[in-house]
Amino acid sequence: MKFYHVDFEPVGRRGKCRHDESLLDCARRLGVGIISLCGGLGKFHCCKVQILKGFLSEPTSNELESFSSQELKDGYRLACQTYVTSDCKVRIPLESLTTPQRIQVEGLEVSVNRKPSISPYHIQVSSSSLSDLRADEERIIETLNHQYKLHCRSIDIDVLRNISPLLRSWNWEAQVSLRGNEVIAISPWPTHQLGLAIDLGTTKIAGYLLDLSSGQTLAAEGIMNPQISYGEDIVSRITYAIDSSAKAVKLREVAVEALNQLVNNLCSRVHAKSEEIVEAVIVGNTAMHHLLLGLPVRQLAFSPFVPAVRRALDVKARDIGLSIAPGAYVHLLPNIAGFVGADHVAMLLATEGIWKDESLAIAIDIGTNTEVSLIDNGEISSVSCASGPAFEGAHIKDGMRAANGAIERLQFENDQVNYETIGGVPPVGLCGSGILDAIAQLYLAGVINRDGRISNHARVRIHEGQPEFVLVSEEERSGSPAITITQKDVREIQLAQGAIRSGINVLLQERSYSEEEIKKVIIAGAFGSYIKVISAVSIGMLPLLPLDRFQQVGNAAGIGAKLGLLSDDKRVKAQAIARRTSYIELATAPHFQEIFVQAIYLG
Amino acid sequence: MKFYHVDFEPVGRRGKCRHDESLLDCARRLGVGIISLCGGLGKFHCCKVQILKGFLSEPTSNELESFSSQELKDGYRLACQTYVTSDCKVRIPLESLTTPQRIQVEGLEVSVNRKPSISPYHIQVSSSSLSDLRADEERIIETLNHQYKLHCRSIDIDVLRNISPLLRSWNWEAQVSLRGNEVIAISPWPTHQLGLAIDLGTTKIAGYLLDLSSGQTLAAEGIMNPQISYGEDIVSRITYAIDSSAKAVKLREVAVEALNQLVNNLCSRVHAKSEEIVEAVIVGNTAMHHLLLGLPVRQLAFSPFVPAVRRALDVKARDIGLSIAPGAYVHLLPNIAGFVGADHVAMLLATEGIWKDESLAIAIDIGTNTEVSLIDNGEISSVSCASGPAFEGAHIKDGMRAANGAIERLQFENDQVNYETIGGVPPVGLCGSGILDAIAQLYLAGVINRDGRISNHARVRIHEGQPEFVLVSEEERSGSPAITITQKDVREIQLAQGAIRSGINVLLQERSYSEEEIKKVIIAGAFGSYIKVISAVSIGMLPLLPLDRFQQVGNAAGIGAKLGLLSDDKRVKAQAIARRTSYIELATAPHFQEIFVQAIYLG
């Protein structure tokens, strides 16, 4: 019997597929939920997947009927009809996924004095007549300036393109949305002014729809970043983009498409139209920021790793392809450096209330890339750590993203493994917090030593020449392969936690502080919110401090984006934070290699 | 034998086509130059035409081979293979035309203190390094502001999209084009900064490529406005546009396509690239302005005929689809009213040196629509006259546009008709100035009386129940139909000249002036430049004044556009002119009907 390796994206589940097993069966065996209504007969279009890499059986007649020639060319297949003939990478479109990914959209609530960049004005202009031949544009601007003592100077060209019939159909009464001195939208009076805040992560995208007049969050939703199919981490995605301009365009297009999809989802939840969104704020790491805007990324890949743009940007939504109000702008919070982006600034902005009165605080955003800032009486230094996607479940034998069936909590007591899964369903793998718990528990139990070596134990077996610890056995899984922690998994986690810890240590060293002097450790990001802090401290990823000094703040970057949406003052503050943050390139820090080698030891 | 009426656009030649005569033969007989290389065998793709209306013979196998199914659906045919089976309207694509239209691109030269809105700056920025981690954008802005004491605040997003690789390939040295506080282009140092001036007429488009640093015109070229295939005059084109949004989009697209073609032609003449054009100024009448920008036009069609936009506009070139430097703007001079547009403002701007010291002047731009301004010690009143396309050769039996073979000058002495044709080739019809001469000469000779009636004369014959005067007989044309002036032609010209003259008279009446008090009559526009003023005065189109009070100024609108390109002060001046011009709606002027009826008498 032949086996091939199959990688299912965006869920991030990897496994072996038998040559006589359909992709659908393989996915099910691995716990990946692909919708299938026909029971494998290829009757419906439901188990559609896209093959990104690898070779497969010839398309069946059902598939030839189901797809256009362009779709076939793009690698679309029906999972129930397809057998792999080589190692493969398979993308499951969102519509074919049964279990949506868990994506953190919640975070701490921060109150803010609303002062959005968009203000609504009610106008009733006089109708045109033979004795008043002013143009429609002048009519609006003059009424606005006269009535409200403003200095409005122009109306966006896309707004002008509909202005005359709209004004007449509304009987010359309208709500005008002003941004600075420019009219960026016109609508019937009264209309809700909606705003969009986006946290564009390497793996996940969180979106929030806000009412700008009340500040209330009307809807929140998370989706996967579809760019993941073209590279899991920042570096591989940049590498893809600089390979050809067509590939960079592709990355940009799929991200924009996902954002527009997210906008539609958010709007349909509250029965709003996307044109009612008059302003958007987007935060993301520097690479996501650049890829979305179509900015060059080659220079991000080579020392000294500088961004094309670091300061905050205001760009017409249409210039990046985002479908909201025709004249609306997107505000992008500033980046700090090539690998510390606007999402980190947003996180610092959102958590300012926590760190600003502490003499020494650490703010840390754990993800595929981990950014750490040390805040020393308001002075900020930051580093970027290539922690990798291990905490997203990648490169871990039974790792998976946080979807149904993922073990998210784990305890090892009296040689017994107790666990909780997402959705409470039978386990199919481990997500980041589960992996962290497993390593911590095994380390504390002495099954793994400081070096990371797995010792002998009743649950340890040798598989393909390497020791692995059986968390859930074949029997417990009714014949499915056991869920284990392999020696290689431990090494991956050591590298990840070592990267993060050495980032913290470099920052402390640079300012000559010791760990104990840290008053607050702010942990942000989806992974950071779900972990048990004690596990992270146990393995040495985070410094050994009293637990009350740690604060998990959820998706603080998303909160920061919301703050930027609701208040111009917060945008100014974000610029100030970015400006006073000095970036330290880890590779150039004194003794970095030593610090890193030290940090990969557990405990 | 059956005859059908065929209308060849954009040359504007109409005639009868026999059922057994190919479109190519018919075109040749009528003097319309279609390229044909194969001698009517359908071998080459050269005599390509597009059928806009009417029915034809089935496509031959040669045609089926020559065209894609989409082209066939769009009405493309080979003129040498096609026979008409109903009245038809045929468009001859520019590439199939042998004789380009004569388009006025010259005008009076006006000197100007150059002060363009774009300034070039040379910068040499320091390269990025581990000790200087600023982003490329900041590097440029900070260098610029520091070195030249500027307040540059942003770089256009499309410029940012290429900035990093370009800066590095130029070794960190560049020329930056600044507009206000925004960087709109970046190029190697040193680069010529090119500017584009466009006079977008209802029938013709004139384009000028300028060197912004010297003010020199590098190239000038005219092309037909391809919108003509969708309506000859402003009103029919607006009617077309308001029929459906798809049709409005179509009009916009063909105009933008023509502008981009013109840009390419101009650039290739001087071996420049369109991306070197860092600023454009476009003038046109209000309808052309609105259709190009995609602004609403329905309200232009109904009283009180107000524009959507009257003030000057600055729009990103990409937002109207114009392919010049990625971050460049298009400046549109202000309109005065729904039917007095930016082209008239440009004409007033260009001729200011002529009118500003006169106590009373008239400035007149004769075209399909004729705009007239009366300038009374700097106070300006303007009217718009629906003079119609008769002076473009339309609605005149043997009328045609100013192309090869058109009679442009004509004298009638001793019962002899003497004429000159464009290109010196045998006559095929009459263009506007020829028609004007013919009517004037026949009126002065008593062949046409004040009422416009054609009297008996040896050269007058009755054709289809109506008298017509034979200018060039069948014999002189070796058997081709005679070129004549029909009674209906005289009526068309009476309406046209009456419209113009009553416009002038309404303006005089409104300010209580008599004709004799006019010190200067400025005549602009292509037709106005080619006419014999004495002919226009003879028939009463222009007031009877000493000839030295008339001044023909060529394409003054084009000159005005150039001035706006070269000087910001001129843009301010144009705004001032537009603001202090009052518009008089002819239909509402006291006694207008009487004035008009009086004006259509000849003499």
Side-chain angles (χ1 to χ4, degrees):
Chain A
M1 196 172 333
K2 276 188 197 160
F3 285 102
Y4 301 104
H5 289 276
V6 180
D7 175 358
F8 288 98
E9 292 297 341
V11 283
R13 186 81 175 107
R14 287 167 188 72
K16 285 182 184 172
C17 182
R18 280 166 35 184
H19 76 283
D20 60 350
E21 169 185 58
S22 75
L23 259 183
L24 181 66
D25 290 335
C26 168
R28 284 175 165 170
R29 194 171 42 76
L30 294 171
V32 176
I34 298 182
I35 295 171
S36 171
L37 302 174
C38 70
L41 300 174
K43 291 277 182 211
F44 306 120
H45 206 77
C46 50
C47 62
K48 186 171 78 167
V49 296
Q50 187 183 13
I51 310 304
L52 300 174
K53 238 187 236 169
F55 298 96
L56 302 118
S57 54
E58 287 296 304
T60 65
S61 59
N62 281 323
E63 292 180 274
L64 294 175
E65 269 172 42
S66 298
F67 296 108
S68 70
S69 59
Q70 183 58 46
E71 284 175 314
L72 288 169
K73 230 175 109 189
D74 290 346
Y76 280 98
R77 302 294 297 266
L78 295 177
C80 69
Q81 303 278 297
T82 301
Y83 297 80
V84 302
T85 61
S86 79
D87 291 353
C88 281
K89 188 170 182 182
V90 179
R91 184 179 80 89
I92 309 167
L94 281 185
E95 63 270 29
S96 305
L97 263 182
T98 53
T99 47
Q101 297 286 299
R102 184 173 68 180
I103 291 180
Q104 173 102 18
V105 290
E106 297 309 315
L108 76 172
E109 280 305 320
V110 178
S111 70
V112 58
N113 288 325
R114 280 192 327 95
K115 188 186 162 192
S117 54
I118 309 289
S119 312
Y121 293 95
H122 169 247
I123 54 166
Q124 171 77 57
V125 301
S126 51
S127 62
S128 63
S129 68
L130 284 169
S131 60
D132 179 358
L133 292 169
R134 284 176 303 163
D136 296 329
E137 181 246 17
E138 278 166 291
R139 211 168 284 282
I140 291 173
I141 291 182
E142 287 173 12
T143 304
L144 207 53
N145 287 346
H146 179 258
Q147 191 172 336
Y148 295 100
K149 311 271 171 274
L150 298 170
H151 300 93
C152 171
R153 283 211 307 252
S154 64
I155 302 181
D156 178 78
I157 180 73
D158 263 356
V159 176
L160 289 175
R161 283 177 175 145
N162 290 305
I163 209 167
S164 304
L166 291 180
L167 260 190
R168 284 160 184 78
S169 74
W170 298 332
N171 216 8
W172 306 94
E173 183 181 22
Q175 173 172 310
V176 169
S177 296
L178 200 69
R179 189 186 204 268
N181 293 322
E182 181 187 4
V183 172
I184 56 101
I186 175 166
S187 54
W189 169 264
T191 310
H192 280 283
Q193 289 197 305
L194 302 183
L196 175 74
I198 297 276
D199 171 24
L200 175 60
T202 312
T203 304
K204 297 161 186 173
I205 309 176
Y208 308 86
L209 190 65
L210 276 80
D211 182 327
L212 291 183
S213 39
S214 68
Q216 201 194 336
T217 300
L218 305 176
E221 187 168 314
I223 57 172
M224 297 301 289
N225 184 338
Q227 290 178 334
I228 207 162
S229 306
Y230 305 93
E232 275 188 335
D233 54 31
I234 292 177
V235 171
S236 61
R237 228 168 280 174
I238 293 175
T239 306
Y240 184 83
I242 62 183
D243 193 44
S244 76
S245 60
K247 287 182 173 175
V249 167
K250 184 78 204 162
L251 282 184
R252 179 173 160 193
E253 280 173 358
V254 299
V256 170
E257 210 176 289
L259 291 189
N260 284 327
Q261 181 61 49
L262 186 55
V263 165
N264 286 338
N265 295 353
L266 289 167
C267 286
S268 68
R269 284 190 183 203
V270 296
H271 307 291
K273 290 193 197 115
S274 57
E275 306 91 77
E276 293 168 38
I277 300 175
V278 290
E279 178 88 359
V281 169
I282 301 181
V283 303
N285 61 54
T286 310
M288 294 308 110
H289 170 283
H290 279 34
L291 288 172
L292 177 71
L293 296 181
L295 296 176
V297 292
R298 177 181 289 273
Q299 81 290 346
L300 287 178
F302 299 98
S303 175
F305 314 105
V306 295
V309 177
R310 200 164 63 160
R311 303 184 315 156
L313 278 183
D314 290 279
V315 182
K316 285 276 172 190
R318 62 171 171 265
D319 285 336
I320 66 172
L322 188 66
S323 298
I324 54 175
Y329 283 85
V330 176
H331 179 82
L332 296 117
L333 292 184
N335 297 310
I336 290 171
F339 286 89
V340 182
D343 53 351
H344 193 64
V345 173
M347 184 270 237
L348 290 171
L349 181 67
T351 58
E352 196 195 5
I354 304 173
W355 52 256
K356 76 164 178 233
D357 296 326
E358 301 289 354
S359 58
L360 192 68
I362 292 273
I364 175 167
D365 204 332
I366 306 174
T368 310
N369 204 70
T370 296
E371 298 88 22
V372 188
S373 278
L374 178 139
I375 307 141
D376 172 11
N377 288 303
E379 287 293 296
I380 309 174
S381 323
S382 68
V383 294
S384 165
C385 321
S387 43
F391 291 128
E392 301 283 355
H395 305 174
I396 299 293
K397 181 184 143 264
D398 286 315
M400 63 182 288
R401 300 218 172 80
N404 272 359
I407 295 174
E408 56 171 346
R409 287 272 173 275
L410 189 143
Q411 263 202 316
F412 183 57
E413 284 179 314
N414 311 323
D415 289 356
Q416 274 303 113
V417 177
N418 300 312
Y419 54 81
E420 291 166 29
T421 64
I422 297 177
V425 299
V428 292
L430 293 144
C431 67
S433 58
I435 297 164
L436 184 66
D437 279 2
I439 303 286
Q441 292 284 306
L442 296 179
Y443 170 66
L444 294 172
V447 178
I448 302 176
N449 70 8
R450 274 208 77 206
D451 303 347
R453 205 153 31 80
I454 298 179
S455 330
N456 279 339
H457 185 273
R459 297 183 76 109
V460 171
R461 64 185 192 189
I462 302 297
H463 186 70
E464 295 179 354
Q466 291 290 323
E468 63 179 18
F469 185 92
V470 178
L471 295 172
V472 189
S473 66
E474 276 92 349
E475 295 75 51
E476 291 167 273
R477 297 198 66 208
S478 321
S480 287
I483 297 173
T484 64
I485 291 285
T486 68
Q487 182 63 66
K488 189 175 153 293
D489 294 344
V490 181
R491 297 301 179 207
E492 290 284 346
I493 295 301
Q494 280 185 283
L495 289 174
Q497 72 97 4
I500 295 170
R501 183 59 180 275
S502 49
I504 297 171
N505 288 354
V506 163
L507 287 170
L508 289 169
Q509 167 192 279
E510 199 250 350
R511 297 255 168 184
S512 310
Y513 282 110
S514 66
E515 267 177 36
E516 300 73 40
E517 293 174 89
I518 302 171
K519 296 291 182 306
K520 198 61 124 180
V521 178
I522 300 164
I523 307 168
F527 169 73
S529 314
Y530 290 117
I531 61 168
K532 264 207 313 268
V533 170
I534 184 78
S535 292
V537 172
S538 302
I539 67 166
M541 184 173 100
L542 296 177
L544 183 59
L545 295 167
L547 281 185
D548 62 4
R549 295 201 193 166
F550 293 90
Q551 187 162 350
Q552 287 166 289
V553 293
N555 185 5
I559 305 298
K562 285 194 202 180
L563 293 177
L565 189 60
L566 293 175
S567 162
D568 267 1
D569 292 343
K570 291 291 180 186
R571 295 185 185 184
V572 173
K573 175 76 80 178
Q575 277 278 27
I577 288 174
R579 241 194 326 261
R580 71 175 139 135
T581 302
S582 57
Y583 171 74
I584 297 165
E585 176 58 43
L586 281 185
T588 65
H591 318 297
F592 176 69
Q593 291 305 326
E594 259 168 73
I595 294 172
F596 179 70
V597 169
Q598 205 57 44
I600 61 176
Y601 282 102
L602 297 179
Chain B
M1 199 177 324
K2 277 191 194 154
F3 284 101
Y4 301 105
H5 289 275
V6 179
D7 175 355
F8 287 100
E9 292 296 344
V11 283
R13 186 83 176 107
R14 288 164 189 73
K16 286 178 180 172
C17 182
R18 280 165 38 182
H19 76 282
D20 59 351
E21 170 185 57
S22 76
L23 259 184
L24 180 65
D25 290 335
C26 168
R28 284 175 167 172
R29 193 170 44 72
L30 294 170
V32 176
I34 298 182
I35 294 171
S36 170
L37 301 174
C38 69
L41 300 173
K43 292 278 181 209
F44 305 120
H45 207 77
C46 49
C47 61
K48 184 171 82 167
V49 295
Q50 187 182 15
I51 310 303
L52 299 175
K53 238 187 235 171
F55 297 98
L56 303 116
S57 56
E58 289 294 306
T60 64
S61 59
N62 280 324
E63 291 180 274
L64 295 175
E65 270 173 41
S66 297
F67 296 109
S68 71
S69 59
Q70 185 57 47
E71 284 176 313
L72 288 169
K73 229 175 111 189
D74 291 346
Y76 281 97
R77 302 295 297 265
L78 295 177
C80 70
Q81 304 278 296
T82 301
Y83 297 81
V84 302
T85 62
S86 78
D87 291 352
C88 280
K89 188 169 182 182
V90 179
R91 184 179 79 89
I92 309 168
L94 281 185
E95 62 270 29
S96 305
L97 265 181
T98 51
T99 47
Q101 299 283 300
R102 185 172 68 181
I103 291 180
Q104 176 100 20
V105 288
E106 296 309 314
L108 76 172
E109 279 303 321
V110 178
S111 69
V112 58
N113 288 326
R114 281 191 325 97
K115 188 187 162 191
S117 54
I118 309 289
S119 312
Y121 293 95
H122 170 246
I123 54 167
Q124 171 76 58
V125 301
S126 50
S127 61
S128 62
S129 68
L130 285 169
S131 60
D132 178 359
L133 291 169
R134 284 176 302 163
D136 296 329
E137 182 244 18
E138 280 166 290
R139 209 168 286 281
I140 291 174
I141 291 182
E142 287 174 13
T143 304
L144 207 53
N145 287 346
H146 179 257
Q147 190 170 338
Y148 296 100
K149 310 273 172 270
L150 298 170
H151 300 92
C152 172
R153 285 211 302 251
S154 64
I155 301 181
D156 178 80
I157 180 74
D158 264 356
V159 176
L160 289 175
R161 284 177 175 145
N162 290 305
I163 208 165
S164 304
L166 290 180
L167 261 190
R168 285 162 182 77
S169 73
W170 299 331
N171 216 6
W172 306 92
E173 182 181 24
Q175 174 173 310
V176 168
S177 295
L178 200 69
R179 189 187 203 267
N181 292 324
E182 182 188 4
V183 172
I184 56 102
I186 177 166
S187 53
W189 170 266
T191 311
H192 280 284
Q193 288 198 307
L194 301 183
L196 175 73
I198 297 276
D199 172 24
L200 176 60
T202 312
T203 305
K204 296 160 188 174
I205 308 175
Y208 308 86
L209 190 66
L210 277 79
D211 182 327
L212 291 182
S213 39
S214 69
Q216 201 196 336
T217 301
L218 303 175
E221 187 168 312
I223 58 170
M224 298 300 291
N225 184 337
Q227 290 178 332
I228 207 161
S229 305
Y230 306 93
E232 274 188 334
D233 54 31
I234 291 177
V235 171
S236 61
R237 226 168 283 172
I238 293 176
T239 307
Y240 184 85
I242 63 186
D243 193 44
S244 77
S245 62
K247 287 181 173 176
V249 167
K250 183 80 206 161
L251 281 184
R252 180 174 158 192
E253 281 174 355
V254 298
V256 170
E257 210 175 289
L259 291 188
N260 284 327
Q261 181 61 52
L262 186 55
V263 166
N264 286 338
N265 294 353
L266 288 167
C267 285
S268 67
R269 283 190 185 204
V270 296
H271 307 292
K273 291 196 196 112
S274 57
E275 305 92 77
E276 293 169 36
I277 300 175
V278 290
E279 178 88 358
V281 169
I282 301 182
V283 302
N285 60 57
T286 310
M288 295 309 108
H289 170 282
H290 278 35
L291 288 172
L292 176 72
L293 295 181
L295 297 176
V297 292
R298 178 181 287 275
Q299 79 291 344
L300 286 179
F302 300 99
S303 178
F305 314 105
V306 296
V309 177
R310 201 162 63 160
R311 302 182 317 155
L313 280 182
D314 290 279
V315 182
K316 284 277 174 190
R318 62 172 170 261
D319 285 336
I320 64 171
L322 188 67
S323 299
I324 55 176
Y329 283 86
V330 176
H331 179 82
L332 297 117
L333 291 184
N335 298 308
I336 290 171
F339 286 90
V340 181
D343 52 352
H344 193 63
V345 173
M347 184 270 236
L348 290 171
L349 181 68
T351 59
E352 196 195 5
I354 304 172
W355 54 257
K356 77 163 176 234
D357 295 327
E358 301 289 352
S359 57
L360 192 68
I362 292 273
I364 176 166
D365 204 332
I366 307 174
T368 309
N369 204 69
T370 296
E371 298 89 23
V372 189
S373 279
L374 179 139
I375 307 139
D376 173 11
N377 289 304
E379 287 294 295
I380 308 174
S381 322
S382 67
V383 294
S384 165
C385 319
S387 44
F391 292 129
E392 301 282 355
H395 305 173
I396 300 292
K397 181 184 142 268
D398 286 317
M400 64 182 288
R401 300 216 171 83
N404 272 1
I407 294 175
E408 57 170 346
R409 285 274 173 272
L410 188 145
Q411 262 203 315
F412 183 55
E413 281 179 315
N414 310 324
D415 290 355
Q416 275 301 115
V417 177
N418 300 312
Y419 55 78
E420 290 166 28
T421 64
I422 297 175
V425 300
V428 293
L430 294 143
C431 69
S433 58
I435 296 162
L436 184 67
D437 279 3
I439 304 286
Q441 292 284 303
L442 295 179
Y443 169 66
L444 293 173
V447 177
I448 301 176
N449 70 10
R450 277 207 76 206
D451 303 348
R453 205 153 32 78
I454 298 180
S455 330
N456 280 340
H457 184 275
R459 298 183 75 110
V460 170
R461 64 187 193 186
I462 302 296
H463 186 72
E464 294 178 354
Q466 291 288 322
E468 64 177 19
F469 185 92
V470 177
L471 295 172
V472 189
S473 67
E474 278 91 348
E475 295 77 48
E476 289 170 273
R477 297 199 67 209
S478 322
S480 288
I483 297 173
T484 65
I485 292 285
T486 70
Q487 183 63 64
K488 189 175 154 289
D489 292 345
V490 181
R491 298 300 181 211
E492 290 284 347
I493 294 301
Q494 280 185 283
L495 290 173
Q497 72 98 3
I500 294 170
R501 183 56 180 274
S502 49
I504 296 173
N505 288 354
V506 164
L507 288 170
L508 288 169
Q509 167 193 278
E510 199 250 348
R511 296 258 170 181
S512 310
Y513 282 110
S514 66
E515 268 177 35
E516 299 74 38
E517 293 174 89
I518 302 170
K519 296 295 183 300
K520 199 58 125 184
V521 179
I522 299 164
I523 308 168
F527 169 73
S529 315
Y530 290 117
I531 60 168
K532 267 212 303 269
V533 169
I534 184 77
S535 292
V537 172
S538 302
I539 67 165
M541 184 172 101
L542 297 177
L544 184 59
L545 295 168
L547 282 184
D548 62 2
R549 294 200 193 167
F550 294 91
Q551 187 162 348
Q552 288 166 289
V553 293
N555 184 5
I559 305 298
K562 285 194 204 180
L563 293 178
L565 189 60
L566 293 176
S567 162
D568 265 2
D569 292 344
K570 292 291 180 184
R571 294 185 185 183
V572 172
K573 175 76 80 175
Q575 277 279 27
I577 289 175
R579 241 194 325 261
R580 73 174 138 137
T581 301
S582 57
Y583 171 74
I584 298 166
E585 175 59 42
L586 280 186
T588 66
H591 316 298
F592 176 70
Q593 290 305 325
E594 258 169 71
I595 293 171
F596 180 68
V597 169
Q598 206 56 45
I600 63 174
Y601 283 102
L602 298 179

